[in-house]
């Protein structure tokens, strides 16, 4: 089982995320795309608890799209879920299925997008009392989880996801960030809650960049 740091994270008050992840690890250690991951995650949760109502690409609040909405059968509990699949080059096979992952790069803007997902899930949770949420990041790019050897301020410092880093409060680009880097991502991000990045191993496949790690950031329900 995946050790989610001793924290029991439940989907819609029913299924432990550790159970979903453990099932995924055994059935799907690698994915073709982010959409593939989203579908597989939803399928795994549904197999564990067939009573769950799971919807993809929903709009629970005006102007906000959500990857997954997981609800109890009676609608009493709901969990908003965003998933990111951040890949580096990897080519291989699993159970005879060929997979070719491309190097996405642009780690600074993709980390911004993860923090933005957190703010979006926080908004859903804030507007729906009793709802909870989570942001799940799966990657085989060590630059996301490795703490820089030299600690220095960078323009993307506020969005770093390395092991042990804490995200909270205002998150903004550094003053020297180029216009091209932050095009479409100019807005400062403000987090209501506090999150500590704690990566766990997901799977290890042959070849360079075959190690995949997982980050789950839980957005707690608000009263």
């Amino acid at each position: 089982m995946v050790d989610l740091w001793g924290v029991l994270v439940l989907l819609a008050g029913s299924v432990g995320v550790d159970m979903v992840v453990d099932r995924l690890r055994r059935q799907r250690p690698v994915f073709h795309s982010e959409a593939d991951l989203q579908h597989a995650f939803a399928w795994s949760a549904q197999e564990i608890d067939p009573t769950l109502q799971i919807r993809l690409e929903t709009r629970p609040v005006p102007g906000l799209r959500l990857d997954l909405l997981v609800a109890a059968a009676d609608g009493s509990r709901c969990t908003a879920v965003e998933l990111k699949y951040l890949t580096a080059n990897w080519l291989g096979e699993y159970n005879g299925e060929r997979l070719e992952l491309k190097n996405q790069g642009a780690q600074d803007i993709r980390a911004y997008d993860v923090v933005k997902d957190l703010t979006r899930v926080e908004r859903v949770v804030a507007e729906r009392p009793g709802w909870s949420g989570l942001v799940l990041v799966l990657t085989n790019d060590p630059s996301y989880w490795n703490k820089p050897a030299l600690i220095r301020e960078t323009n993307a410092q506020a969005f770093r996801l390395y092991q042990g880093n804490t995200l909270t409060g205002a998150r903004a680009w550094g003053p020297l960030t180029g216009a091209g880097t932050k095009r479409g991502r100019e807005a400062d991000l403000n987090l209501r809650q506090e999150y500590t990045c704690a990566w766990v191993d997901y799977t290890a496949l042959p070849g360079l960049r075959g190690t995949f790690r997982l980050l789950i950031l839980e957005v707690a329900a608000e009263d």
Side-chain angles (χ1 to χ4, degrees), residues 78-187:
C78 297
T79 301
V81 182
E82 285 288 310
L83 301 102
K84 282 283 186 283
Y85 190 42
L86 310 177
T87 61
N89 284 330
W90 184 82
L91 176 64
E93 289 190 2
Y94 179 74
N95 281 349
E97 185 175 6
R98 182 181 184 276
L99 294 105
E100 183 177 356
L101 304 184
K102 299 298 184 182
N103 184 43
Q104 295 178 357
Q107 289 86 354
D108 49 359
I109 65 173
R110 298 191 188 284
Y112 176 99
D113 290 343
V114 171
V115 178
K116 185 176 181 179
D117 276 355
L118 271 173
T119 65
R120 293 165 68 248
V121 173
E122 284 188 338
R123 179 185 166 194
V124 174
V125 169
E127 295 189 20
R128 295 289 187 273
W131 282 32
S132 62
L134 64 88
V135 173
L136 181 151
V137 183
L138 181 63
T139 183
N140 65 328
D141 185 342
S143 66
Y144 288 106
W145 67 71
N146 283 338
K147 187 174 182 177
L150 297 176
I151 302 301
R152 60 183 178 86
E153 289 293 323
T154 68
N155 288 317
Q157 188 70 25
F159 313 115
R160 290 286 187 90
L161 304 174
Y162 60 80
Q163 181 75 14
N165 193 35
T166 297
L167 301 169
T168 191
R171 306 276 101 186
W173 292 105
L176 300 181
T177 306
T181 296
K182 60 182 182 181
R183 182 176 294 115
R185 297 173 172 84
E186 294 87 356

Side-chain angles (χ1 to χ4, degrees), residues 185-220:
R185 297 173 172 84
E186 294 87 356
D188 293 353
L189 303 175
N190 289 281
L191 294 170
R192 301 163 62 99
Q193 299 184 28
E194 182 176 297
Y195 309 90
T196 298
C197 297
W199 293 85
V200 294
D201 291 337
Y202 181 75
T203 192
L205 299 171
L208 184 66
R209 298 293 184 258
T211 296
F212 289 75
R213 303 199 79 196
L214 180 73
L215 174 67
I216 294 180
L217 302 169
E218 180 185 16
V219 180

